[in-house]
Amino acid sequence: MIPAWCTYCSGEVTHVVSEQNTFTDVLSWIEKKTEDQESPQILDISWFTESMSSGKPVPVEARHRLGVLSFVKLQVLGSPVSKDKDALSTVAPYACQRQTPLIHHNSKITDALEILGKAASFQGSEVRSLAFARAASVLKSLPCKLQSIEEAKNLVWCGGHCQTVIQEILEDGVCHEVEVLKNSEQYQCMELLTSIFGVGVRTAERWYNDGVRKLSDLADLHIKLTAEQKAGIEHYTDLKQPVTRDEAERVESLITRALDRFVPGLRITMTGGFRRGKQQGHDVDFLITHPDEEALNGLLEKSVNWMDSQGLLLYHHTKARSHVQTRRRSTHMDGHETCYAIFALPNHDSLKAESGDFTSSGACRWRAVRVDLVVAPYEEYPYALLGWTGSKVGDAELCSQENGRQMATELHVGEATGPVSACRL
């Protein structure tokens, strides 16, 4: 944040360091506070902290630069800055080092890359899926729309197949590979089946090979379902609808009141996309902790049973805390005690908030919402919060960055041993 008391920027200033501001914000501030003079370097707070540790200014590297230097013509301090392909090399290599707006300029390209990433995951190739996701993440961080393939050639993670997709969309307006993929029966079926709560890629692939093409085929082909999958199919229509921020906050209010019945003073944090500023999502995740670790014992079981008795849970399954650690990458979330639930969120007119009666009664007076409740010991809370906030690409790259420094990076972990031991892949 740029403080209000910064009313003038001296010509002797060579470096401007900022935190929680975009490159454009800082540039605009500099233009207002300076007269015609050479532009200072606009850097992230990481450059300052590293310089303080070294006792002297460290050399400026690409990763220190704030966001991405604009590669369109700008009027900086009265002097035009020409389009510069080399400026694209200043894109930070890791998602956790970049600021990414919720609304960006390259959605046509990123949508195509995300479809290719999803298709790769359907084929069991998580490496290719992550590669497409990384490229999409970079493009989302750019301050303006790509105009030519030349502008993309120096972008990190955007080479090879991704560059071909970018070029085709910029030149033809569409990626033909993606269009063929979207219209293929297998892709459409895999997308449908994996959207069912409790169904992963392997199960969906097995069902597809068994002849499942639509939801009704599951009954016609006598496919054996788990309780989780039965609940997912029963409430499929509701669960496919995005959860709004208003709905997420109403869920938060109900859960907070339920948990407070058993342990007052809990820290309950809504995580995931909503914590990153999104206005809608496919589920709502909550991280729960308390300074007194003993107070957490049995909390989840008691509160879940109580909410179930009040008609607030349509399905729930609780996984006990695991103390087993592994360095092997896994699709499992973490070792924390977790409840995976389908919540019956009462409509405004059916929720008697003032009376404290949580019961949702009457036909279609509630909607089903996916909710995860995660209990983390207080000393592990910061790491778990980092991992559960996401995004998945950001978490994966945090893990990659820390692994490069030979530090422990367990998935959300139990027993944190490094500063980024909360990564979720």
Side-chain angles (χ1 to χ4, degrees):
M1 183 174 184
I2 300 173
W5 49 261
C6 291
T7 58
Y8 180 70
C9 184
S10 167
E12 297 179 358
V13 173
T14 58
H15 300 70
V16 173
V17 177
S18 180
E19 186 176 29
Q20 299 180 350
N21 291 100
T22 64
F23 174 85
T24 305
D25 290 338
V26 179
L27 185 60
S28 176
W29 176 82
I30 292 175
E31 290 175 331
K32 293 177 182 177
K33 304 301 179 183
T34 60
E35 299 176 354
D36 291 351
Q37 59 191 48
E38 186 178 352
S39 173
Q41 299 196 66
I42 302 175
L43 307 175
D44 180 74
I45 192 70
S46 60
W47 175 84
F48 179 74
T49 56
E50 290 178 24
S51 297
M52 291 292 289
S53 298
S54 300
K56 60 181 180 180
V58 299
V60 175
E61 299 178 15
R63 60 189 176 84
H64 293 134
R65 300 188 185 279
L66 185 62
V68 182
L69 293 179
S70 180
F71 46 87
V72 296
K73 268 193 174 181
L74 296 173
Q75 189 72 20
V76 181
L77 309 176
S79 302
V81 176
S82 300
K83 181 190 259 187
D84 184 0
K85 297 175 186 177
D86 293 335
L88 298 180
S89 65
T90 63
V91 178
Y94 295 105
C96 55
Q97 298 172 316
R98 298 189 296 267
Q99 291 189 348
T100 303
L102 295 175
I103 300 174
H104 61 93
H105 304 280
N106 294 284
S107 58
K108 181 176 285 190
I109 301 174
T110 59
D111 288 349
L113 292 171
E114 286 170 353
I115 288 172
L116 290 170
K118 186 181 291 187
S121 70
F122 291 162
Q123 297 166 1
S125 178
E126 291 302 323
V127 172
R128 289 180 59 239
S129 179
L130 180 59
F132 287 120
R134 278 174 161 163
S137 176
V138 169
L139 295 178
K140 289 177 182 179
S141 73
L142 300 181
C144 61
K145 188 175 181 179
L146 283 176
Q147 299 296 331
S148 72
I149 189 60
E150 292 301 317
E151 295 172 343
K153 284 186 176 179
N154 292 324
L155 290 175
V156 64
W157 304 119
C158 291
H161 194 167
C162 295
Q163 191 172 113
T164 301
V165 173
I166 294 170
Q167 181 171 3
E168 192 169 354
I169 292 176
L170 289 176
E171 294 177 356
D172 300 338
V174 66
C175 175
H176 299 287
E177 178 187 4
V178 171
E179 293 305 304
V180 170
L181 192 60
K182 287 195 299 184
N183 293 316
S184 71
E185 180 188 65
Q186 184 173 10
Y187 178 85
Q188 291 176 356
C189 290
M190 289 293 289
E191 188 173 38
L192 169 70
L193 296 176
T194 54
S195 68
I196 301 171
F197 175 54
V199 178
V201 170
R202 290 184 180 179
T203 298
E205 185 177 24
R206 186 173 69 250
W207 287 356
Y208 178 80
N209 292 334
D210 288 341
V212 177
R213 298 295 181 269
K214 53 186 181 298
L215 296 184
S216 59
D217 290 342
L218 294 169
D220 296 341
L221 295 172
H222 306 289
I223 300 295
K224 187 176 180 180
L225 304 173
T226 65
E228 186 178 34
Q229 292 161 357
K230 289 177 182 177
I233 292 170
E234 181 181 356
H235 304 290
Y236 182 80
T237 301
D238 268 0
L239 298 182
K240 277 287 290 180
Q241 296 299 314
V243 182
T244 65
R245 178 168 288 276
D246 174 69
E247 289 170 328
E249 290 173 350
R250 286 161 53 204
V251 172
E252 181 178 36
S253 177
L254 290 171
I255 287 176
T256 298
R257 291 166 60 191
L259 291 168
D260 279 348
R261 292 175 65 91
F262 300 97
V263 179
L266 290 164
R267 177 180 289 187
I268 303 168
T269 306
M270 188 189 305
T271 61
F274 287 111
R275 187 168 187 265
R276 300 197 305 274
K278 290 189 174 182
Q279 296 304 304
Q280 63 182 33
H282 68 279
D283 65 359
V284 195
D285 303 326
F286 296 97
L287 187 62
I288 304 158
T289 193
H290 192 279
D292 180 6
E293 190 169 335
E294 292 298 320
L296 299 176
N297 291 336
L299 169 65
L300 198 56
E301 181 182 5
K302 288 183 288 188
S303 57
V304 165
N305 288 340
W306 186 84
M307 286 188 287
D308 193 24
S309 71
Q310 299 298 302
L312 284 172
L313 298 182
L314 302 169
Y315 168 85
H316 63 89
H317 168 70
T318 300
K319 176 182 67 67
R321 175 174 168 80
S322 170
H323 293 277
V324 177
Q325 296 192 45
T326 174
R327 288 186 176 273
R328 182 181 62 85
R329 292 191 175 193
S330 169
T331 56
H332 296 295
M333 289 300 187
D334 56 54
H336 293 130
E337 184 182 15
T338 306
C339 176
Y340 307 99
I342 299 178
F343 199 84
L345 177 63
N347 295 337
H348 282 291
D349 59 353
S350 63
L351 181 60
K352 302 175 183 178
E354 293 184 4
S355 66
D357 179 5
F358 288 85
T359 305
S360 55
S361 58
C364 298
R365 300 189 68 186
W366 46 264
R367 70 153 292 189
V369 176
R370 271 280 297 114
V371 174
D372 290 336
L373 304 175
V374 184
V375 176
Y378 197 70
E379 63 180 9
E380 296 172 17
Y381 172 80
Y383 311 107
L385 181 61
L386 179 61
W388 277 91
T389 296
S391 66
K392 289 184 178 180
V393 172
D395 284 347
E397 292 186 350
L398 279 170
C399 287
S400 174
Q401 196 175 24
E402 291 306 311
N403 281 331
R405 298 175 184 173
Q406 296 182 330
M407 302 178 88
T409 55
E410 305 303 330
L411 302 179
H412 286 307
V413 313
E415 299 188 16
T417 53
V420 190
S421 52
C423 299
R424 175 171 55 172
L425 297 180

